[in-house]
Amino acid sequence: MSWKASARHGVREAPAGLALVQELLNTRATMTYGSDLLAQPDDAQRWLTDAVSTWSRVSGLPAPVLLLSSTDLRSLRRLRTTFENVILAGGRNQPDGALPPADVPVSLVPDADGWVRIVPTGRGTRWLASALWAEALLAQQAGLWSRLKLCHNGDCRAAFFDASRNNSGVWHDVSTCGNTANLRAFRERRRLLGSTGDVPL
């Protein structure tokens, strides 16, 4: 089993630390891509260890060793839902309820060149939440946030980074989710028209 959540979907990885947010979103069980990586403690621990290690390499910042409890799994699943709703709100889709404030600590640390860096702080899943929100803010400042999307196929919802020139992508994979949706729409139009002949696309 792959512990890289996004790799299960075959999607392009979001750049820099934004990939950590994408990884969290892609832990959800969808279609044939695998089970929910946050459902069982062992699976969640393996995913988290890999995701945080990758984030540390990309960001150049140290990351703590995070050990999960069963209570932490519930917190992680709630955090995943929150980020899904933030993405949906940014795409002008209706999120599930009001968006809560991100009550997380961060440190602002000047480096040797005088640049101020946002550094996650806290313990356990609070540290992870701090890292995720910091990366979301950095991605917004860099103009990348609007390119992190959820597949419009409701049975899929894979998080993908839209690299299209005009940021118009809606499917994580056009050949699977896009074709499935188009075929479903074609059949619905055909049913509504009560025709067995060709229906204009």
Side-chain angles (χ1 to χ4, degrees):
M1 176 185 284
S2 172
W3 303 114
K4 295 255 188 212
S6 296
R8 302 185 304 168
H9 299 278
V11 293
R12 177 189 187 124
E13 187 176 273
L18 183 57
L20 182 64
V21 180
Q22 182 185 28
E23 269 291 298
L24 175 68
L25 293 169
N26 282 331
T27 57
R28 187 178 294 283
T30 54
M31 294 171 50
T32 59
Y33 299 110
S35 60
D36 189 328
L37 295 179
L38 302 183
Q40 300 299 325
D42 288 347
D43 291 348
Q45 187 65 63
R46 288 186 188 98
W47 168 78
L48 180 61
T49 299
D50 184 77
V52 169
S53 174
T54 300
W55 173 87
S56 181
R57 273 196 317 274
V58 169
S59 68
L61 293 171
V65 175
L66 303 178
L67 300 177
L68 296 175
S69 68
S70 56
T71 305
D72 291 331
L73 293 187
R74 289 192 295 275
S75 297
L76 284 178
R77 290 192 293 267
R78 282 195 302 269
L79 188 60
R80 178 176 63 190
T81 298
T82 297
F83 272 96
E84 287 171 343
N85 287 334
V86 172
I87 296 286
L88 290 172
R92 293 178 194 72
N93 295 314
Q94 189 64 32
D96 298 330
L99 298 174
D103 182 21
V104 294
V106 294
S107 293
L108 301 177
V109 180
D111 65 17
D113 297 321
W115 289 95
V116 178
R117 300 192 73 177
I118 299 176
V119 178
T121 59
R123 293 176 177 240
T125 55
R126 293 276 292 162
W127 179 92
L128 181 63
S130 177
L132 289 161
W133 285 111
E135 292 301 346
L137 178 61
L138 291 171
Q140 288 181 352
Q141 291 173 336
L144 299 173
W145 182 253
S146 64
R147 291 187 174 273
L148 184 62
K149 300 178 178 180
L150 298 178
C151 181
H152 275 215
N153 181 349
D155 295 328
C156 174
R157 283 295 194 222
F160 68 99
F161 185 77
D162 185 0
S164 66
R165 185 178 303 232
N166 61 354
N167 195 18
S168 61
V170 295
W171 315 111
H172 93 280
D173 184 341
V174 174
S175 65
T176 56
C177 290
N179 284 346
T180 299
N182 290 336
L183 182 58
R184 189 180 301 128
F186 170 78
R187 287 179 177 157
E188 181 63 14
R189 285 194 305 272
R190 191 172 191 173
R191 185 189 69 76
L192 291 173
L193 292 174
S195 170
T196 57
D198 292 334
V199 178
L201 296 176

